[in-house]
Amino acid sequence: MNSVNSVSAENKDLSEKEFRKIHVRPKPVYDFLKRIFDFTVALIMLIVLAVPLLIVALIIVIDNPGASPIYVQKRVKKNGQEFNFYKFRSMVPNAESMLDSLLEQNEMDGPAFKMKDDPRITRFGRVIRKTCIDELPQLLNVIKGEMSLVGPRPPLPREVAMYDEYQKQRLSIKPGITCFWQVMPERNTVSFDDWLKSDLEYIEVRSIRTDLIILIKTVGTVLGMEGI
């Protein structure tokens, strides 16, 4: 009887895993059009914002002397490959070495780390995070083809190391600057599981229309200064 129950439970676990497996449909036309759109928009934005971006970089240097205004970090993109991810520096230079001492204060469940009053964030860093300006250097990642304007946010290698097979599905497509999670109200209070579900939902329903809706909502989020 116990063996029957054991087999039944095992089959149930397998069926649940199969049920949770998302269907990543190939969309060659969509991918082609999206790449053209991404490259064009990213290039135009970098040209138009060139002077403001240089001013931001200068303020970061003044606010945090001796540190590069652009922070380069290893992130994980499609199929688990690592790449150099660009952001304006919003934290102190030794932020990575301070992380271990802050892990117990993590306000996000799961592998991701989020902390509302993170002591590593600089004065000007809070400003550029609130306005999402710190993300703009990722336009270079978009031009290089490593990221898209819309897609799941690229995780850190240490986070991916803790992923199970279900969670690894968010690496099925190219990562993006903005996504469903980015435009959620009070997004930093959203659980990692709900964040993951929103990414997997995007992967299944992704389309030009969906991307445009997310981009329009992202503009509203930025204007409303809903960062951090």
Side-chain angles (χ1 to χ4, degrees):
M1 183 70 176
N2 288 336
S3 61
V4 172
N5 290 337
S6 176
V7 171
S8 178
E10 184 179 346
N11 289 337
K12 181 180 179 182
D13 288 341
L14 287 172
S15 64
E16 286 177 349
K17 288 179 181 179
E18 290 171 357
F19 177 76
R20 297 171 74 192
K21 184 175 177 60
I22 64 170
H23 181 50
V24 186
R25 290 183 298 160
K27 298 184 177 183
V29 175
Y30 162 75
D31 290 338
F32 176 73
L33 294 176
K34 183 171 184 173
R35 177 59 187 148
I36 294 175
F37 179 79
D38 283 343
F39 183 88
T40 303
V41 172
L43 183 60
I44 291 173
M45 288 183 69
L46 282 175
I47 293 172
V48 172
L49 298 174
V51 173
L53 292 179
L54 287 174
I55 293 173
V56 169
L58 179 61
I59 295 174
I60 292 172
V61 171
I62 294 172
D63 187 53
N64 202 358
S68 169
I70 300 294
Y71 177 57
V72 182
Q73 186 180 49
K74 288 294 182 183
R75 293 287 181 109
V76 180
K77 59 180 180 178
K78 182 179 178 181
N79 298 327
Q81 296 179 320
E82 293 187 10
F83 71 106
N84 290 327
F85 173 86
Y86 307 121
K87 290 188 75 170
F88 274 128
R89 182 177 295 279
S90 61
M91 290 187 173
V92 295
N94 61 332
E96 289 292 335
S97 62
M98 294 173 62
L99 180 60
D100 287 343
S101 64
L102 298 172
L103 289 176
E104 291 184 357
Q105 302 178 59
N106 188 11
E107 297 169 6
M108 171 73 76
D109 60 338
F113 178 85
K114 293 289 180 182
M115 185 177 174
K116 184 177 180 181
D117 296 315
D118 195 324
R120 301 173 299 165
I121 303 176
T122 63
R123 293 171 299 174
F124 188 59
R126 293 196 175 277
V127 175
I128 61 176
R129 281 190 168 213
K130 196 74 175 175
T131 55
C132 298
I133 291 173
D134 62 319
E135 309 285 2
L136 289 176
Q138 288 155 46
L139 292 170
L140 292 172
N141 291 121
V142 173
I143 287 178
K144 291 169 66 177
E146 298 163 334
M147 292 179 62
S148 177
L149 293 175
V150 182
R153 292 294 290 160
L156 292 162
R158 63 170 180 80
E159 295 172 350
V160 175
M162 293 185 281
Y163 280 6
D164 57 28
E165 291 304 310
Y166 172 62
Q167 294 165 338
K168 285 179 181 178
Q169 293 180 110
R170 74 192 300 261
L171 305 176
S172 301
I173 64 170
K174 191 180 295 185
I177 295 178
T178 187
C179 57
F180 279 141
W181 172 77
Q182 289 280 103
V183 297
M184 287 181 180
E186 301 292 332
R187 67 174 181 265
N188 287 317
T189 64
V190 174
S191 69
F192 178 75
D193 189 49
D194 286 339
W195 180 1
L196 177 66
K197 286 178 181 177
S198 73
D199 282 341
L200 298 184
E201 178 188 353
Y202 170 77
I203 292 172
E204 290 191 303
V205 305
R206 67 194 191 284
S207 66
I208 295 296
R209 180 176 179 275
T210 301
D211 289 350
L212 290 176
I213 290 173
I214 292 175
L215 287 172
I216 291 170
K217 287 185 176 182
T218 300
V219 173
T221 298
V222 170
L223 293 177
M225 293 192 295
E226 297 175 17
I228 301 189

